[in-house]
Amino acid sequence: MNHALAFVDADCWLGPSRMPLPERLRGDALEKLLETMGNLGIAEACPTSAPAAMQPAGDGNQRLAAALAGRGNLHPVWMLAAHHSGEASDPAETLQAMRQAGARMARVVLDSGEGYFGRLHLLQLEGLLDQLSANRVPLIIDLGERKSVENPDLAELLRAWPELPVILTFPKMESEARVLCCLLERYRNLRVSLRGYQILGGIEEFVRLFGAGSLVFGSNYPHFTPLQSMLHLIYSEISENEKQRVAGDNVRDLLRQAWGAHP
């Protein structure tokens, strides 16, 4: 696919999944990811371990880091789990493991059926949030399939940890755009993944209201093709500079600043 944008997919998965995949994506997950990136012209990606969402997170995270070692265009995303219940190390040890593995982004998945957090419970997360914020490590908050943007804990998280970059990802924006706009207007540490913001004229309106710095490209690959979100951005009526910021520069800036590095 020919285009001039250097895309970074900030919202994708690697490894066996509980969801069935089309036959063309079955087989070696890393090989299929690289093939998809090559075919579509995606320069970099930030995969999360799919097994880490279903088994001890530490095992999945470490295997992901080992699989991506030496690949400068693939940046591992660390799946977070609750340490109070013994499912993960304490927050300081978790962040140390992340840093040693070269991970510069973390993720929590809110899923009442499976996963480590049925809801955004700040009492469970505050130690991790303190550590992530102190190190400027971006956090993906994955609302899963049924979680609402209209969540007082989300607003409180953004207010209480203003130095923590948060990327919000959700399946589809339908009736809660007003709530999302309120959060974006009030909390400058919030970014939104493009994959759920499939609204006619939505990119143009989003950039007009909040600037191109608050929107990042993400696809939820392999469950969805990156092509839909890519075309949504490529054919949007915003400047080429704004398109490049959304396509990849915003995520590159976040990764560059992780662990307290200067912009």
Short mmCIF file of all heavy atoms in Angstrom, two decimals, residues 227-258:
data_model
loop_
_atom_site.label_atom_id
_atom_site.label_comp_id
_atom_site.label_asym_id
_atom_site.label_seq_id
_atom_site.Cartn_x
_atom_site.Cartn_y
_atom_site.Cartn_z
N LEU A 227 -6.26 -1.54 8.11
CA LEU A 227 -6.55 -0.76 6.92
C LEU A 227 -7.69 0.23 7.12
O LEU A 227 -7.63 1.36 6.62
CB LEU A 227 -6.89 -1.72 5.76
CG LEU A 227 -7.07 -1.08 4.38
CD1 LEU A 227 -5.83 -0.33 3.95
CD2 LEU A 227 -7.44 -2.15 3.36
N GLN A 228 -8.72 -0.16 7.87
CA GLN A 228 -9.87 0.73 8.05
C GLN A 228 -9.46 2.04 8.70
O GLN A 228 -9.79 3.13 8.20
CB GLN A 228 -10.94 0.03 8.88
CG GLN A 228 -12.18 0.90 9.10
CD GLN A 228 -13.26 0.17 9.88
OE1 GLN A 228 -13.16 -1.03 10.12
NE2 GLN A 228 -14.30 0.87 10.26
N SER A 229 -8.73 1.96 9.81
CA SER A 229 -8.31 3.18 10.50
C SER A 229 -7.28 3.95 9.67
O SER A 229 -7.25 5.18 9.70
CB SER A 229 -7.72 2.83 11.87
OG SER A 229 -8.71 2.31 12.72
N MET A 230 -6.42 3.24 8.94
CA MET A 230 -5.44 3.91 8.10
C MET A 230 -6.12 4.76 7.03
O MET A 230 -5.78 5.93 6.84
CB MET A 230 -4.53 2.88 7.44
CG MET A 230 -3.61 2.16 8.41
SD MET A 230 -2.62 0.86 7.59
CE MET A 230 -1.47 1.89 6.65
N LEU A 231 -7.09 4.17 6.33
CA LEU A 231 -7.80 4.91 5.28
C LEU A 231 -8.60 6.07 5.86
O LEU A 231 -8.70 7.14 5.25
CB LEU A 231 -8.72 3.96 4.51
CG LEU A 231 -8.01 2.91 3.66
CD1 LEU A 231 -9.02 1.97 3.02
CD2 LEU A 231 -7.13 3.55 2.60
N HIS A 232 -9.17 5.86 7.04
CA HIS A 232 -9.90 6.93 7.71
C HIS A 232 -9.00 8.15 7.90
O HIS A 232 -9.42 9.29 7.69
CB HIS A 232 -10.41 6.41 9.06
CG HIS A 232 -11.37 7.32 9.75
ND1 HIS A 232 -11.60 7.26 11.10
CD2 HIS A 232 -12.15 8.32 9.30
CE1 HIS A 232 -12.48 8.17 11.45
NE2 HIS A 232 -12.83 8.83 10.37
N LEU A 233 -7.74 7.91 8.28
CA LEU A 233 -6.81 9.00 8.49
C LEU A 233 -6.27 9.55 7.17
O LEU A 233 -6.21 10.77 6.97
CB LEU A 233 -5.66 8.54 9.38
CG LEU A 233 -4.57 9.58 9.67
CD1 LEU A 233 -5.15 10.79 10.40
CD2 LEU A 233 -3.44 8.97 10.48
N ILE A 234 -5.86 8.66 6.27
CA ILE A 234 -5.26 9.10 5.00
C ILE A 234 -6.19 10.03 4.23
O ILE A 234 -5.75 11.04 3.65
CB ILE A 234 -4.88 7.88 4.15
CG1 ILE A 234 -3.67 7.15 4.75
CG2 ILE A 234 -4.58 8.27 2.70
CD1 ILE A 234 -3.39 5.79 4.14
N TYR A 235 -7.48 9.72 4.23
CA TYR A 235 -8.43 10.52 3.45
C TYR A 235 -9.15 11.59 4.27
O TYR A 235 -10.08 12.21 3.78
CB TYR A 235 -9.45 9.59 2.77
CG TYR A 235 -8.81 8.78 1.66
CD1 TYR A 235 -8.52 7.44 1.84
CD2 TYR A 235 -8.47 9.37 0.45
CE1 TYR A 235 -7.92 6.69 0.85
CE2 TYR A 235 -7.87 8.63 -0.56
CZ TYR A 235 -7.59 7.30 -0.35
OH TYR A 235 -6.99 6.57 -1.34
N SER A 236 -8.69 11.81 5.50
CA SER A 236 -9.28 12.88 6.30
C SER A 236 -8.83 14.24 5.77
O SER A 236 -7.78 14.36 5.13
CB SER A 236 -8.87 12.74 7.77
OG SER A 236 -7.47 12.90 7.92
N GLU A 237 -9.62 15.26 6.04
CA GLU A 237 -9.33 16.61 5.54
C GLU A 237 -8.64 17.43 6.62
O GLU A 237 -9.16 18.42 7.13
CB GLU A 237 -10.62 17.26 5.06
CG GLU A 237 -11.23 16.54 3.86
CD GLU A 237 -12.51 17.18 3.37
OE1 GLU A 237 -12.97 18.17 3.99
OE2 GLU A 237 -13.06 16.71 2.35
N ILE A 238 -7.44 16.99 6.98
CA ILE A 238 -6.57 17.73 7.88
C ILE A 238 -5.21 17.86 7.19
O ILE A 238 -4.98 17.23 6.16
CB ILE A 238 -6.42 17.05 9.26
CG1 ILE A 238 -5.84 15.64 9.12
CG2 ILE A 238 -7.77 16.99 9.98
CD1 ILE A 238 -5.59 14.93 10.46
N SER A 239 -4.32 18.66 7.73
CA SER A 239 -3.04 18.89 7.07
C SER A 239 -2.17 17.64 7.10
O SER A 239 -2.37 16.74 7.93
CB SER A 239 -2.30 20.05 7.74
OG SER A 239 -1.81 19.66 9.01
N GLU A 240 -1.18 17.58 6.20
CA GLU A 240 -0.27 16.44 6.17
C GLU A 240 0.53 16.35 7.46
O GLU A 240 0.81 15.24 7.94
CB GLU A 240 0.68 16.55 4.97
CG GLU A 240 0.00 16.37 3.62
CD GLU A 240 -0.74 15.03 3.53
OE1 GLU A 240 -0.12 13.99 3.83
OE2 GLU A 240 -1.93 15.03 3.16
N ASN A 241 0.90 17.48 8.03
CA ASN A 241 1.62 17.47 9.30
C ASN A 241 0.75 16.89 10.42
O ASN A 241 1.22 16.09 11.24
CB ASN A 241 2.06 18.88 9.66
CG ASN A 241 2.80 18.93 10.99
OD1 ASN A 241 3.86 18.34 11.16
ND2 ASN A 241 2.23 19.63 11.96
N GLU A 242 -0.52 17.25 10.44
CA GLU A 242 -1.44 16.71 11.45
C GLU A 242 -1.66 15.21 11.25
O GLU A 242 -1.72 14.45 12.21
CB GLU A 242 -2.77 17.47 11.39
CG GLU A 242 -2.67 18.90 11.91
CD GLU A 242 -3.89 19.73 11.60
OE1 GLU A 242 -4.56 19.46 10.57
OE2 GLU A 242 -4.18 20.66 12.38
N LYS A 243 -1.76 14.79 9.98
CA LYS A 243 -1.91 13.36 9.71
C LYS A 243 -0.71 12.57 10.23
O LYS A 243 -0.87 11.51 10.83
CB LYS A 243 -2.06 13.12 8.20
CG LYS A 243 -3.39 13.56 7.61
CD LYS A 243 -3.45 13.28 6.12
CE LYS A 243 -4.76 13.78 5.53
NZ LYS A 243 -4.83 13.55 4.06
N GLN A 244 0.50 13.10 10.02
CA GLN A 244 1.69 12.39 10.48
C GLN A 244 1.77 12.33 11.99
O GLN A 244 2.21 11.33 12.56
CB GLN A 244 2.95 13.04 9.91
CG GLN A 244 4.24 12.31 10.28
CD GLN A 244 4.18 10.82 9.94
OE1 GLN A 244 4.01 10.44 8.79
NE2 GLN A 244 4.28 9.97 10.96
N ARG A 245 1.31 13.37 12.66
CA ARG A 245 1.29 13.34 14.12
C ARG A 245 0.39 12.22 14.62
O ARG A 245 0.75 11.46 15.51
CB ARG A 245 0.85 14.69 14.68
CG ARG A 245 1.85 15.81 14.49
CD ARG A 245 1.46 17.04 15.27
NE ARG A 245 1.55 16.79 16.71
CZ ARG A 245 1.13 17.65 17.64
NH1 ARG A 245 0.58 18.79 17.29
NH2 ARG A 245 1.24 17.35 18.91
N VAL A 246 -0.81 12.13 14.04
CA VAL A 246 -1.74 11.08 14.44
C VAL A 246 -1.22 9.71 14.03
O VAL A 246 -1.28 8.74 14.81
CB VAL A 246 -3.14 11.32 13.82
CG1 VAL A 246 -4.08 10.17 14.15
CG2 VAL A 246 -3.72 12.65 14.31
N ALA A 247 -0.68 9.59 12.84
CA ALA A 247 -0.23 8.30 12.31
C ALA A 247 0.87 7.68 13.15
O ALA A 247 0.90 6.45 13.33
CB ALA A 247 0.25 8.47 10.87
N GLY A 248 1.79 8.50 13.68
CA GLY A 248 2.89 7.89 14.40
C GLY A 248 3.69 8.80 15.32
O GLY A 248 4.24 8.35 16.32
N ASP A 249 3.79 10.08 15.00
CA ASP A 249 4.67 10.96 15.77
C ASP A 249 4.23 11.11 17.22
O ASP A 249 5.08 11.24 18.12
CB ASP A 249 4.77 12.33 15.11
CG ASP A 249 5.61 12.29 13.83
OD1 ASP A 249 6.19 11.22 13.55
OD2 ASP A 249 5.66 13.31 13.13
N ASN A 250 2.92 11.11 17.47
CA ASN A 250 2.45 11.24 18.85
C ASN A 250 2.92 10.07 19.71
O ASN A 250 3.37 10.24 20.84
CB ASN A 250 0.92 11.34 18.90
CG ASN A 250 0.40 12.64 18.33
OD1 ASN A 250 1.09 13.65 18.33
ND2 ASN A 250 -0.82 12.63 17.83
N VAL A 251 2.82 8.86 19.16
CA VAL A 251 3.27 7.68 19.91
C VAL A 251 4.78 7.67 20.04
O VAL A 251 5.32 7.33 21.10
CB VAL A 251 2.77 6.39 19.22
CG1 VAL A 251 3.37 5.15 19.89
CG2 VAL A 251 1.25 6.32 19.28
N ARG A 252 5.48 8.05 18.98
CA ARG A 252 6.95 8.11 19.07
C ARG A 252 7.39 9.07 20.18
O ARG A 252 8.34 8.80 20.91
CB ARG A 252 7.54 8.55 17.73
CG ARG A 252 7.43 7.49 16.64
CD ARG A 252 8.22 7.90 15.40
NE ARG A 252 8.02 6.92 14.34
CZ ARG A 252 7.08 7.00 13.41
NH1 ARG A 252 6.24 8.03 13.41
NH2 ARG A 252 6.97 6.07 12.49
N ASP A 253 6.70 10.20 20.30
CA ASP A 253 7.03 11.16 21.36
C ASP A 253 6.82 10.54 22.74
O ASP A 253 7.64 10.73 23.65
CB ASP A 253 6.18 12.42 21.22
CG ASP A 253 6.63 13.30 20.06
OD1 ASP A 253 7.75 13.10 19.55
OD2 ASP A 253 5.85 14.18 19.65
N LEU A 254 5.72 9.81 22.91
CA LEU A 254 5.44 9.17 24.21
C LEU A 254 6.50 8.14 24.54
O LEU A 254 6.98 8.06 25.67
CB LEU A 254 4.05 8.52 24.18
CG LEU A 254 2.85 9.46 24.11
CD1 LEU A 254 1.57 8.65 24.01
CD2 LEU A 254 2.80 10.39 25.31
N LEU A 255 6.88 7.33 23.56
CA LEU A 255 7.90 6.31 23.79
C LEU A 255 9.25 6.96 24.10
O LEU A 255 10.00 6.47 24.96
CB LEU A 255 8.03 5.41 22.56
CG LEU A 255 6.82 4.53 22.22
CD1 LEU A 255 7.04 3.83 20.89
CD2 LEU A 255 6.56 3.52 23.31
N ARG A 256 9.53 8.05 23.44
CA ARG A 256 10.82 8.73 23.66
C ARG A 256 10.91 9.33 25.07
O ARG A 256 12.00 9.39 25.65
CB ARG A 256 10.96 9.85 22.61
CG ARG A 256 12.36 10.41 22.45
CD ARG A 256 12.39 11.44 21.34
NE ARG A 256 12.01 10.86 20.07
CZ ARG A 256 10.98 11.27 19.33
NH1 ARG A 256 10.22 12.27 19.75
NH2 ARG A 256 10.70 10.69 18.19
N GLN A 257 9.79 9.74 25.62
CA GLN A 257 9.78 10.37 26.93
C GLN A 257 9.65 9.38 28.08
O GLN A 257 9.79 9.76 29.25
CB GLN A 257 8.64 11.39 27.02
CG GLN A 257 8.80 12.57 26.06
CD GLN A 257 7.58 13.44 26.00
OE1 GLN A 257 7.01 13.80 27.03
NE2 GLN A 257 7.15 13.80 24.81
N ALA A 258 9.37 8.11 27.76
CA ALA A 258 9.22 7.09 28.81
C ALA A 258 10.52 6.95 29.60
O ALA A 258 11.61 7.15 29.07
CB ALA A 258 8.83 5.75 28.18
#
